[in-house]
Amino acid sequence: MTTQVRVLDLSYNRQLKCLPNSISDLENLCGLFLGYCQSISCLPALEKLSALRVLDISGCSKISCLAAIKKLRALRVLNIEDCKGIRKLPQDMECLASLQYLYTMHTSILEIPKVVISKLRNLRCLQLEECGSLQSEEVNWLPHLQEFTNCYDELHSFNTLVKKLEQLECYHICVGGRNYRELDTKSKTVYLEGIGFKGERGQEIKALLPANICCLHINRCEALNGSIADYFQSVMSNLRKLEVHDCKEVEWISNSKQITENAAFKSLEVLDLSLLPKLISVCKGEDVILPDYYTFSCLKHVHIFECKSMKKLLPLALLQNLKSLETLYVARCYQLEVVIGEVEGDEEGIGSSSNSPLLSSSNILYLPNLKSLQLDNLPALKSICNGRGMICPSIEKILIWRCTNIKRMPSFLPINEAIGQPYLPSSFRGIYLFPNKKEWWESLEWHNPNAKDILQSHIHWNKLP
């Protein structure tokens, strides 16, 4: 009867040290799962398992040899993730002609013999971690590939792969380092880590990016001067997430010309900027009016941290496009004077007029989907939105810590049109204020004084949401 067993799952059996040779008698076995059987050091002969389609030895850290798998011609899924003892894929692995899914994340594989991967012609999913030796030509020879993950040491190897990536359903590529803290197997993501964009002779080095990229993470890259969009202009209209971290020369993310001519960031949902010491503002130039389907119209989440030169986050010209905004977090930007609007002395662009659909005739900013506003340690902040009112009918929490230079506060609360008075949305959880700042709170001017009375009973002192 044991020959009828089709699936054998021994996962997480940490006392199991070896499999008996009699396992080869299970000729009808389709799935063998040994995940995190950490005492197993080798696999027995498996050549008789002609029906085996799935082999999972993930987390079997003592296994160092894959010789036992070479005759598993029906195998479609091989999972060797987190097998620290495996240093090299075997040359005869090319015999696995039916293999469709190969998972090797978090192994110690440093070498893949030439042409092994290119001969696995049925591969649909290939997840590697740090196999820079894998030539892009081998990946290009995989006609059915739809998912790909790998790291490359330098831009040249990655650039030759771009055309193939444009044909895939999803990919996760790191260039210059390893970064899998947000591994999403269904995304189209590129990490640029520690890349220098200027050569030894001062020439500009370009990174080619797939046209279908959705998420771009730029970390500790050098010589990215001026605007980020200058370097990656061709993909800016398709990005859904942009993260820029610890890039010392970045001054802007985009400019008004790129916005009007290329519809930059029309699909962007997440903007995460941190440790950018020269960043002046998100957008350079304010003299632009945009249709509501253009720049930042899909933007939901904004996270800004320690951009010490920034005086304003977004210009008033972009107000009309913020109707999707749900969360806004700004912290430790020590020169920031205004979150949305113009700093004193700047001329407001024509896009900041009351013609904006998000500004009513009484100059009240309307953010219908804003749920969370968090402002922390912004000692120069004078205004959230140039003294204008702000109506947020979906607001859930407001945090204002160490921002005592603010003199006038928007009401935040929606208005009951029948009586013309603000009211508290049912979703509201509270307003969180820094302790020992009650005198500052009492001195604030309000766009609608009644809002202060309503919020007063929902203050949380010295408590984080």
Side-chain angles (χ1 to χ4, degrees), residues 41-53:
S41 58
C42 64
L43 296 173
L46 301 175
E47 61 266 19
K48 290 185 180 181
L49 303 182
S50 57
L52 193 66
R53 294 188 176 191

Side-chain angles (χ1 to χ4, degrees), residues 266-277:
K266 69 178 183 179
S267 303
L268 194 69
E269 297 178 5
V270 179
L271 179 63
D272 190 336
L273 310 175
S274 60
L275 298 177
L276 305 178

Side-chain angles (χ1 to χ4, degrees), residues 11 23 129 197 217 239 262 303 310 315 318 339 382 426 435:
S11 300
I23 197 172
E129 182 165 4
F197 283 85
H217 301 254
L239 281 181
N262 302 301
H303 184 280
M310 184 168 62
L318 294 179
V339 179
K382 298 177 181 178
S426 58

Side-chain angles (χ1 to χ4, degrees), residues 2-22:
T2 57
T3 58
Q4 301 304 313
V5 175
R6 296 179 63 83
V7 176
L8 180 60
D9 190 348
L10 301 173
S11 300
Y12 295 95
N13 189 334
R14 293 183 171 86
Q15 305 304 316
L16 184 64
K17 295 184 178 181
C18 64
L19 293 175
N21 289 329
S22 59

Side-chain angles (χ1 to χ4, degrees), residues 322-446:
L322 298 179
K323 60 180 179 293
S324 299
L325 189 64
E326 295 182 10
T327 63
L328 177 58
Y329 173 87
V330 188
R332 296 177 65 174
C333 299
Y334 301 123
Q335 295 190 46
L336 187 72
E337 296 183 16
V338 61
V339 179
I340 302 173
E342 315 304 321
V343 299
E344 291 183 4
D346 282 357
E347 294 184 2
E348 296 184 0
I350 56 177
S352 64
S353 72
S354 59
N355 293 329
S356 168
L358 294 187
L359 279 176
S360 72
S361 58
S362 57
N363 273 343
I364 296 177
L365 171 61
Y366 185 67
L367 296 176
N369 290 299
L370 188 67
K371 297 177 181 179
S372 173
L373 173 66
Q374 298 188 63
L375 306 175
D376 183 13
N377 204 356
L378 308 172
L381 186 65
K382 298 177 181 178
S383 172
I384 296 175
C385 51
N386 275 140
R388 289 169 168 79
M390 179 186 290
I391 292 181
C392 311
S394 302
I395 195 70
E396 296 178 4
K397 63 180 178 181
I398 302 167
L399 182 145
I400 302 177
W401 277 39
R402 293 169 288 196
C403 303
T404 54
N405 202 36
I406 297 176
K407 301 295 189 291
R408 183 176 175 84
M409 191 74 71
S411 65
F412 301 113
L413 303 180
I415 301 294
N416 185 327
E417 296 183 1
I419 59 176
Q421 294 298 322
Y423 67 92
L424 206 63
S426 58
S427 60
F428 191 70
R429 290 160 44 190
I431 180 168
Y432 301 83
L433 302 176
F434 199 70
N436 304 322
K437 299 299 178 183
K438 294 184 179 181
E439 184 177 343
W440 163 77
W441 170 260
E442 294 298 333
S443 69
L444 286 172
E445 298 178 6
W446 286 78

Side-chain angles (χ1 to χ4, degrees), residues 114-151:
K114 289 185 178 181
V115 308
V116 165
I117 294 297
S118 61
K119 288 189 176 182
L120 301 175
R121 302 277 289 171
N122 287 305
L123 271 182
R124 295 180 57 83
C125 175
L126 176 58
Q127 287 190 10
L128 308 173
E129 182 165 4
E130 197 173 7
C131 296
S133 60
L134 178 64
Q135 298 298 312
S136 58
E137 290 79 7
E138 292 198 58
V139 181
N140 292 334
W141 273 97
L142 301 175
H144 304 293
L145 190 68
Q146 292 301 319
E147 302 179 23
F148 181 51
T149 300
N150 198 15
C151 285

Side-chain angles (χ1 to χ4, degrees), residues 186-257:
K186 299 304 177 184
S187 72
K188 300 180 179 72
T189 300
V190 173
Y191 279 90
L192 301 178
E193 181 97 14
I195 300 295
F197 283 85
K198 185 174 290 187
E200 294 180 358
R201 299 180 181 179
Q203 76 278 17
E204 181 180 319
I205 296 177
K206 293 187 176 181
L208 302 179
L209 293 178
N212 61 351
I213 185 175
C214 294
C215 305
L216 176 60
H217 301 254
I218 306 171
N219 185 32
R220 296 188 298 106
C221 290
E222 298 179 356
L224 282 176
N225 302 311
S227 168
I228 285 289
D230 288 340
Y231 294 84
F232 310 106
Q233 186 169 320
S234 62
V235 301
M236 286 298 157
S237 62
N238 296 324
L239 281 181
R240 292 206 309 265
K241 180 175 183 178
L242 175 63
E243 177 182 300
V244 187
H245 173 79
D246 198 13
C247 297
K248 306 301 183 186
E249 305 300 324
V250 171
E251 296 178 282
W252 297 280
I253 303 304
S254 188
N255 61 55
S256 57
K257 182 178 179 180

